[in-house]
PDB file of all heavy atoms in Angstrom:
ATOM      1  N   THR W   1      78.198 -30.374 360.120  1.00 98.00           N
ATOM      2  CA  THR W   1      77.568 -31.270 359.127  1.00 98.00           C
ATOM      3  C   THR W   1      76.438 -32.112 359.700  1.00 98.00           C
ATOM      4  O   THR W   1      75.868 -32.932 358.985  1.00 98.00           O
ATOM      5  CB  THR W   1      78.617 -32.200 358.484  1.00 98.00           C
ATOM      6  OG1 THR W   1      79.171 -33.068 359.485  1.00 98.00           O
ATOM      7  CG2 THR W   1      79.739 -31.405 357.834  1.00 98.00           C
ATOM      8  N   HIS W   2      76.095 -31.916 360.962  1.00 98.00           N
ATOM      9  CA  HIS W   2      74.929 -32.590 361.546  1.00 98.00           C
ATOM     10  C   HIS W   2      73.704 -31.750 361.235  1.00 98.00           C
ATOM     11  O   HIS W   2      73.559 -30.638 361.737  1.00 98.00           O
ATOM     12  CB  HIS W   2      75.110 -32.746 363.051  1.00 98.00           C
ATOM     13  CG  HIS W   2      73.908 -33.335 363.741  1.00 98.00           C
ATOM     14  ND1 HIS W   2      73.560 -34.662 363.629  1.00 98.00           N
ATOM     15  CD2 HIS W   2      72.978 -32.756 364.551  1.00 98.00           C
ATOM     16  CE1 HIS W   2      72.468 -34.897 364.347  1.00 98.00           C
ATOM     17  NE2 HIS W   2      72.097 -33.747 364.906  1.00 98.00           N
ATOM     18  N   THR W   3      72.848 -32.242 360.349  1.00 97.00           N
ATOM     19  CA  THR W   3      71.691 -31.464 359.894  1.00 97.00           C
ATOM     20  C   THR W   3      70.415 -32.272 360.083  1.00 97.00           C
ATOM     21  O   THR W   3      70.459 -33.491 360.285  1.00 97.00           O
ATOM     22  CB  THR W   3      71.829 -31.106 358.404  1.00 97.00           C
ATOM     23  OG1 THR W   3      71.936 -32.326 357.636  1.00 97.00           O
ATOM     24  CG2 THR W   3      73.084 -30.257 358.160  1.00 97.00           C
ATOM     25  N   SER W   4      69.287 -31.599 359.992  1.00 96.00           N
ATOM     26  CA  SER W   4      68.004 -32.287 360.150  1.00 96.00           C
ATOM     27  C   SER W   4      67.764 -33.280 359.024  1.00 96.00           C
ATOM     28  O   SER W   4      67.139 -34.322 359.223  1.00 96.00           O
ATOM     29  CB  SER W   4      66.865 -31.265 360.204  1.00 96.00           C
ATOM     30  OG  SER W   4      66.845 -30.492 359.006  1.00 96.00           O
ATOM     31  N   PHE W   5      68.246 -32.965 357.819  1.00 97.00           N
ATOM     32  CA  PHE W   5      68.025 -33.854 356.672  1.00 97.00           C
ATOM     33  C   PHE W   5      69.106 -34.927 356.540  1.00 97.00           C
ATOM     34  O   PHE W   5      68.934 -35.912 355.835  1.00 97.00           O
ATOM     35  CB  PHE W   5      67.938 -33.039 355.369  1.00 97.00           C
ATOM     36  CG  PHE W   5      69.111 -32.126 355.132  1.00 97.00           C
ATOM     37  CD1 PHE W   5      70.269 -32.596 354.540  1.00 97.00           C
ATOM     38  CD2 PHE W   5      69.051 -30.791 355.505  1.00 97.00           C
ATOM     39  CE1 PHE W   5      71.352 -31.756 354.319  1.00 97.00           C
ATOM     40  CE2 PHE W   5      70.129 -29.937 355.290  1.00 97.00           C
ATOM     41  CZ  PHE W   5      71.290 -30.431 354.707  1.00 97.00           C
ATOM     42  N   SER W   6      70.249 -34.748 357.213  1.00 98.00           N
ATOM     43  CA  SER W   6      71.330 -35.737 357.150  1.00 98.00           C
ATOM     44  C   SER W   6      72.069 -35.756 358.490  1.00 98.00           C
ATOM     45  O   SER W   6      73.194 -35.282 358.601  1.00 98.00           O
ATOM     46  CB  SER W   6      72.299 -35.396 356.005  1.00 98.00           C
ATOM     47  OG  SER W   6      73.302 -36.386 355.885  1.00 98.00           O
ATOM     48  N   PRO W   7      71.422 -36.329 359.523  1.00 98.00           N
ATOM     49  CA  PRO W   7      72.000 -36.293 360.866  1.00 98.00           C
ATOM     50  C   PRO W   7      73.104 -37.329 361.058  1.00 98.00           C
ATOM     51  O   PRO W   7      73.172 -38.327 360.333  1.00 98.00           O
ATOM     52  CB  PRO W   7      70.802 -36.621 361.758  1.00 98.00           C
ATOM     53  CG  PRO W   7      69.956 -37.520 360.899  1.00 98.00           C
ATOM     54  CD  PRO W   7      70.096 -36.979 359.496  1.00 98.00           C
ATOM     55  N   TRP W   8      73.955 -37.106 362.032  1.00 98.00           N
ATOM     56  CA  TRP W   8      74.952 -38.096 362.438  1.00 98.00           C
ATOM     57  C   TRP W   8      74.331 -39.042 363.456  1.00 98.00           C
ATOM     58  O   TRP W   8      73.664 -38.611 364.409  1.00 98.00           O
ATOM     59  CB  TRP W   8      76.169 -37.415 363.055  1.00 98.00           C
ATOM     60  CG  TRP W   8      77.140 -36.932 362.028  1.00 98.00           C
ATOM     61  CD1 TRP W   8      77.352 -35.653 361.619  1.00 98.00           C
ATOM     62  CD2 TRP W   8      78.049 -37.745 361.256  1.00 98.00           C
ATOM     63  NE1 TRP W   8      78.323 -35.606 360.641  1.00 98.00           N
ATOM     64  CE2 TRP W   8      78.771 -36.880 360.401  1.00 98.00           C
ATOM     65  CE3 TRP W   8      78.321 -39.119 361.202  1.00 98.00           C
ATOM     66  CZ2 TRP W   8      79.741 -37.337 359.507  1.00 98.00           C
ATOM     67  CZ3 TRP W   8      79.281 -39.580 360.317  1.00 98.00           C
ATOM     68  CH2 TRP W   8      79.979 -38.693 359.482  1.00 98.00           C
ATOM     69  N   ILE W   9      74.583 -40.336 363.255  1.00 98.00           N
ATOM     70  CA  ILE W   9      74.119 -41.357 364.186  1.00 98.00           C
ATOM     71  C   ILE W   9      75.355 -41.923 364.898  1.00 98.00           C
ATOM     72  O   ILE W   9      76.250 -42.461 364.250  1.00 98.00           O
ATOM     73  CB  ILE W   9      73.358 -42.487 363.456  1.00 98.00           C
ATOM     74  CG1 ILE W   9      72.253 -41.900 362.566  1.00 98.00           C
ATOM     75  CG2 ILE W   9      72.813 -43.494 364.458  1.00 98.00           C
ATOM     76  CD1 ILE W   9      71.245 -41.041 363.298  1.00 98.00           C
ATOM     77  N   ILE W  10      75.402 -41.778 366.212  1.00 98.00           N
ATOM     78  CA  ILE W  10      76.555 -42.200 366.991  1.00 98.00           C
ATOM     79  C   ILE W  10      76.337 -43.630 367.490  1.00 98.00           C
ATOM     80  O   ILE W  10      75.299 -43.933 368.097  1.00 98.00           O
ATOM     81  CB  ILE W  10      76.797 -41.272 368.196  1.00 98.00           C
ATOM     82  CG1 ILE W  10      76.802 -39.812 367.744  1.00 98.00           C
ATOM     83  CG2 ILE W  10      78.096 -41.650 368.895  1.00 98.00           C
ATOM     84  CD1 ILE W  10      77.851 -39.477 366.707  1.00 98.00           C
ATOM     85  N   VAL W  11      77.318 -44.488 367.227  1.00 98.00           N
ATOM     86  CA  VAL W  11      77.271 -45.877 367.689  1.00 98.00           C
ATOM     87  C   VAL W  11      78.389 -46.076 368.713  1.00 98.00           C
ATOM     88  O   VAL W  11      79.561 -45.895 368.398  1.00 98.00           O
ATOM     89  CB  VAL W  11      77.468 -46.872 366.524  1.00 98.00           C
ATOM     90  CG1 VAL W  11      77.380 -48.316 367.039  1.00 98.00           C
ATOM     91  CG2 VAL W  11      76.445 -46.628 365.425  1.00 98.00           C
ATOM     92  N   LYS W  12      78.031 -46.410 369.931  1.00 97.00           N
ATOM     93  CA  LYS W  12      79.031 -46.699 370.956  1.00 97.00           C
ATOM     94  C   LYS W  12      79.582 -48.108 370.692  1.00 97.00           C
ATOM     95  O   LYS W  12      78.886 -49.102 370.871  1.00 97.00           O
ATOM     96  CB  LYS W  12      78.412 -46.603 372.350  1.00 97.00           C
ATOM     97  CG  LYS W  12      77.935 -45.200 372.688  1.00 97.00           C
ATOM     98  CD  LYS W  12      77.272 -45.142 374.048  1.00 97.00           C
ATOM     99  CE  LYS W  12      76.763 -43.733 374.352  1.00 97.00           C
ATOM    100  NZ  LYS W  12      76.027 -43.677 375.637  1.00 97.00           N
ATOM    101  N   ALA W  13      80.836 -48.142 370.261  1.00 98.00           N
ATOM    102  CA  ALA W  13      81.373 -49.370 369.662  1.00 98.00           C
ATOM    103  C   ALA W  13      82.467 -50.036 370.486  1.00 98.00           C
ATOM    104  O   ALA W  13      83.199 -50.876 369.963  1.00 98.00           O
ATOM    105  CB  ALA W  13      81.894 -49.065 368.253  1.00 98.00           C
ATOM    106  N   ASN W  14      82.581 -49.705 371.779  1.00 97.00           N
ATOM    107  CA  ASN W  14      83.533 -50.447 372.605  1.00 97.00           C
ATOM    108  C   ASN W  14      83.183 -51.930 372.650  1.00 97.00           C
ATOM    109  O   ASN W  14      84.060 -52.784 372.731  1.00 97.00           O
ATOM    110  CB  ASN W  14      83.552 -49.886 374.033  1.00 97.00           C
ATOM    111  CG  ASN W  14      84.427 -48.650 374.151  1.00 97.00           C
ATOM    112  OD1 ASN W  14      85.167 -48.301 373.227  1.00 97.00           O
ATOM    113  ND2 ASN W  14      84.356 -47.976 375.285  1.00 97.00           N
ATOM    114  N   ASP W  15      81.882 -52.234 372.607  1.00 97.00           N
ATOM    115  CA  ASP W  15      81.396 -53.611 372.512  1.00 97.00           C
ATOM    116  C   ASP W  15      81.046 -53.865 371.047  1.00 97.00           C
ATOM    117  O   ASP W  15      80.036 -53.381 370.548  1.00 97.00           O
ATOM    118  CB  ASP W  15      80.165 -53.790 373.409  1.00 97.00           C
ATOM    119  CG  ASP W  15      79.621 -55.218 373.404  1.00 97.00           C
ATOM    120  OD1 ASP W  15      79.812 -55.945 372.401  1.00 97.00           O
ATOM    121  OD2 ASP W  15      78.980 -55.597 374.394  1.00 97.00           O
ATOM    122  N   LYS W  16      81.893 -54.635 370.362  1.00 96.00           N
ATOM    123  CA  LYS W  16      81.705 -54.843 368.920  1.00 96.00           C
ATOM    124  C   LYS W  16      80.374 -55.494 368.602  1.00 96.00           C
ATOM    125  O   LYS W  16      79.690 -55.114 367.641  1.00 96.00           O
ATOM    126  CB  LYS W  16      82.840 -55.709 368.368  1.00 96.00           C
ATOM    127  CG  LYS W  16      84.143 -54.998 368.128  1.00 96.00           C
ATOM    128  CD  LYS W  16      85.128 -55.931 367.436  1.00 96.00           C
ATOM    129  CE  LYS W  16      86.438 -55.230 367.123  1.00 96.00           C
ATOM    130  NZ  LYS W  16      87.382 -56.133 366.421  1.00 96.00           N
ATOM    131  N   ARG W  17      80.015 -56.502 369.373  1.00 97.00           N
ATOM    132  CA  ARG W  17      78.771 -57.224 369.072  1.00 97.00           C
ATOM    133  C   ARG W  17      77.557 -56.325 369.214  1.00 97.00           C
ATOM    134  O   ARG W  17      76.669 -56.328 368.352  1.00 97.00           O
ATOM    135  CB  ARG W  17      78.656 -58.449 369.977  1.00 97.00           C
ATOM    136  CG  ARG W  17      79.624 -59.573 369.630  1.00 97.00           C
ATOM    137  CD  ARG W  17      79.489 -60.738 370.575  1.00 97.00           C
ATOM    138  NE  ARG W  17      80.306 -61.868 370.165  1.00 97.00           N
ATOM    139  CZ  ARG W  17      80.433 -62.986 370.866  1.00 97.00           C
ATOM    140  NH1 ARG W  17      79.786 -63.119 372.019  1.00 97.00           N
ATOM    141  NH2 ARG W  17      81.201 -63.981 370.424  1.00 97.00           N
ATOM    142  N   ALA W  18      77.516 -55.552 370.280  1.00 98.00           N
ATOM    143  CA  ALA W  18      76.383 -54.641 370.470  1.00 98.00           C
ATOM    144  C   ALA W  18      76.339 -53.610 369.353  1.00 98.00           C
ATOM    145  O   ALA W  18      75.266 -53.278 368.840  1.00 98.00           O
ATOM    146  CB  ALA W  18      76.481 -53.961 371.831  1.00 98.00           C
ATOM    147  N   ALA W  19      77.494 -53.105 368.949  1.00 98.00           N
ATOM    148  CA  ALA W  19      77.543 -52.105 367.879  1.00 98.00           C
ATOM    149  C   ALA W  19      76.990 -52.673 366.574  1.00 98.00           C
ATOM    150  O   ALA W  19      76.260 -51.996 365.849  1.00 98.00           O
ATOM    151  CB  ALA W  19      78.979 -51.623 367.682  1.00 98.00           C
ATOM    152  N   ARG W  20      77.349 -53.915 366.275  1.00 98.00           N
ATOM    153  CA  ARG W  20      76.862 -54.539 365.042  1.00 98.00           C
ATOM    154  C   ARG W  20      75.343 -54.705 365.079  1.00 98.00           C
ATOM    155  O   ARG W  20      74.638 -54.331 364.125  1.00 98.00           O
ATOM    156  CB  ARG W  20      77.540 -55.892 364.846  1.00 98.00           C
ATOM    157  CG  ARG W  20      79.022 -55.806 364.532  1.00 98.00           C
ATOM    158  CD  ARG W  20      79.695 -57.157 364.703  1.00 98.00           C
ATOM    159  NE  ARG W  20      81.140 -57.066 364.507  1.00 98.00           N
ATOM    160  CZ  ARG W  20      82.002 -58.038 364.812  1.00 98.00           C
ATOM    161  NH1 ARG W  20      81.537 -59.169 365.353  1.00 98.00           N
ATOM    162  NH2 ARG W  20      83.282 -57.883 364.595  1.00 98.00           N
ATOM    163  N   LEU W  21      74.849 -55.267 366.170  1.00 98.00           N
ATOM    164  CA  LEU W  21      73.418 -55.529 366.251  1.00 98.00           C
ATOM    165  C   LEU W  21      72.611 -54.238 366.225  1.00 98.00           C
ATOM    166  O   LEU W  21      71.612 -54.136 365.493  1.00 98.00           O
ATOM    167  CB  LEU W  21      73.099 -56.306 367.531  1.00 98.00           C
ATOM    168  CG  LEU W  21      73.678 -57.725 367.651  1.00 98.00           C
ATOM    169  CD1 LEU W  21      73.291 -58.337 368.998  1.00 98.00           C
ATOM    170  CD2 LEU W  21      73.206 -58.628 366.512  1.00 98.00           C
ATOM    171  N   GLU W  22      73.039 -53.249 366.997  1.00 98.00           N
ATOM    172  CA  GLU W  22      72.233 -52.031 367.128  1.00 98.00           C
ATOM    173  C   GLU W  22      72.308 -51.144 365.893  1.00 98.00           C
ATOM    174  O   GLU W  22      71.347 -50.449 365.570  1.00 98.00           O
ATOM    175  CB  GLU W  22      72.636 -51.262 368.377  1.00 98.00           C
ATOM    176  CG  GLU W  22      72.464 -52.042 369.677  1.00 98.00           C
ATOM    177  CD  GLU W  22      71.080 -52.673 369.834  1.00 98.00           C
ATOM    178  OE1 GLU W  22      70.075 -52.024 369.463  1.00 98.00           O
ATOM    179  OE2 GLU W  22      71.012 -53.817 370.299  1.00 98.00           O
ATOM    180  N   SER W  23      73.428 -51.157 365.170  1.00 98.00           N
ATOM    181  CA  SER W  23      73.477 -50.386 363.931  1.00 98.00           C
ATOM    182  C   SER W  23      72.573 -51.016 362.871  1.00 98.00           C
ATOM    183  O   SER W  23      71.909 -50.300 362.112  1.00 98.00           O
ATOM    184  CB  SER W  23      74.910 -50.252 363.421  1.00 98.00           C
ATOM    185  OG  SER W  23      75.512 -51.511 363.233  1.00 98.00           O
ATOM    186  N   ILE W  24      72.531 -52.346 362.831  1.00 98.00           N
ATOM    187  CA  ILE W  24      71.577 -53.012 361.917  1.00 98.00           C
ATOM    188  C   ILE W  24      70.159 -52.648 362.319  1.00 98.00           C
ATOM    189  O   ILE W  24      69.314 -52.310 361.469  1.00 98.00           O
ATOM    190  CB  ILE W  24      71.787 -54.529 361.929  1.00 98.00           C
ATOM    191  CG1 ILE W  24      73.138 -54.897 361.320  1.00 98.00           C
ATOM    192  CG2 ILE W  24      70.657 -55.226 361.150  1.00 98.00           C
ATOM    193  CD1 ILE W  24      73.491 -56.377 361.418  1.00 98.00           C
ATOM    194  N   ARG W  25      69.876 -52.721 363.614  1.00 98.00           N
ATOM    195  CA  ARG W  25      68.534 -52.381 364.083  1.00 98.00           C
ATOM    196  C   ARG W  25      68.165 -50.947 363.692  1.00 98.00           C
ATOM    197  O   ARG W  25      67.020 -50.676 363.305  1.00 98.00           O
ATOM    198  CB  ARG W  25      68.455 -52.533 365.607  1.00 98.00           C
ATOM    199  CG  ARG W  25      67.887 -53.867 366.066  1.00 98.00           C
ATOM    200  CD  ARG W  25      67.576 -53.834 367.547  1.00 98.00           C
ATOM    201  NE  ARG W  25      68.572 -54.541 368.295  1.00 98.00           N
ATOM    202  CZ  ARG W  25      68.520 -55.839 368.587  1.00 98.00           C
ATOM    203  NH1 ARG W  25      67.497 -56.565 368.167  1.00 98.00           N
ATOM    204  NH2 ARG W  25      69.466 -56.414 369.283  1.00 98.00           N
ATOM    205  N   TYR W  26      69.130 -50.030 363.802  1.00 98.00           N
ATOM    206  CA  TYR W  26      68.824 -48.634 363.457  1.00 98.00           C
ATOM    207  C   TYR W  26      68.410 -48.510 361.995  1.00 98.00           C
ATOM    208  O   TYR W  26      67.421 -47.830 361.682  1.00 98.00           O
ATOM    209  CB  TYR W  26      70.026 -47.729 363.734  1.00 98.00           C
ATOM    210  CG  TYR W  26      69.716 -46.304 363.344  1.00 98.00           C
ATOM    211  CD1 TYR W  26      69.055 -45.459 364.221  1.00 98.00           C
ATOM    212  CD2 TYR W  26      70.009 -45.838 362.070  1.00 98.00           C
ATOM    213  CE1 TYR W  26      68.710 -44.172 363.845  1.00 98.00           C
ATOM    214  CE2 TYR W  26      69.666 -44.548 361.681  1.00 98.00           C
ATOM    215  CZ  TYR W  26      69.018 -43.727 362.571  1.00 98.00           C
ATOM    216  OH  TYR W  26      68.656 -42.457 362.185  1.00 98.00           O
ATOM    217  N   VAL W  27      69.153 -49.146 361.093  1.00 98.00           N
ATOM    218  CA  VAL W  27      68.810 -49.070 359.673  1.00 98.00           C
ATOM    219  C   VAL W  27      67.430 -49.669 359.430  1.00 98.00           C
ATOM    220  O   VAL W  27      66.606 -49.093 358.700  1.00 98.00           O
ATOM    221  CB  VAL W  27      69.885 -49.779 358.818  1.00 98.00           C
ATOM    222  CG1 VAL W  27      69.420 -49.926 357.367  1.00 98.00           C
ATOM    223  CG2 VAL W  27      71.204 -49.012 358.875  1.00 98.00           C
ATOM    224  N   LEU W  28      67.144 -50.800 360.051  1.00 98.00           N
ATOM    225  CA  LEU W  28      65.832 -51.427 359.873  1.00 98.00           C
ATOM    226  C   LEU W  28      64.724 -50.516 360.402  1.00 98.00           C
ATOM    227  O   LEU W  28      63.649 -50.415 359.797  1.00 98.00           O
ATOM    228  CB  LEU W  28      65.791 -52.770 360.609  1.00 98.00           C
ATOM    229  CG  LEU W  28      66.706 -53.863 360.057  1.00 98.00           C
ATOM    230  CD1 LEU W  28      66.726 -55.067 360.997  1.00 98.00           C
ATOM    231  CD2 LEU W  28      66.278 -54.300 358.661  1.00 98.00           C
TER     232      LEU W  28
END
């Protein structure tokens, strides 16, 4: 299900704060 038009974005979430900030940054 990883496709060019709908790819999977992996967030390394062992650090909750970093995961929150960087996922927001990715969407922006």
Side-chain angles (χ1 to χ4, degrees):
T1 64
H2 176 73
T3 59
S4 59
F5 54 84
S6 183
W8 277 105
I9 308 303
I10 310 301
V11 181
K12 296 178 182 176
N14 278 350
D15 182 333
K16 281 186 178 181
R17 288 179 174 176
R20 291 165 185 168
L21 295 179
E22 300 309 321
S23 57
I24 293 174
R25 264 192 256 270
Y26 179 84
V27 170
L28 293 172

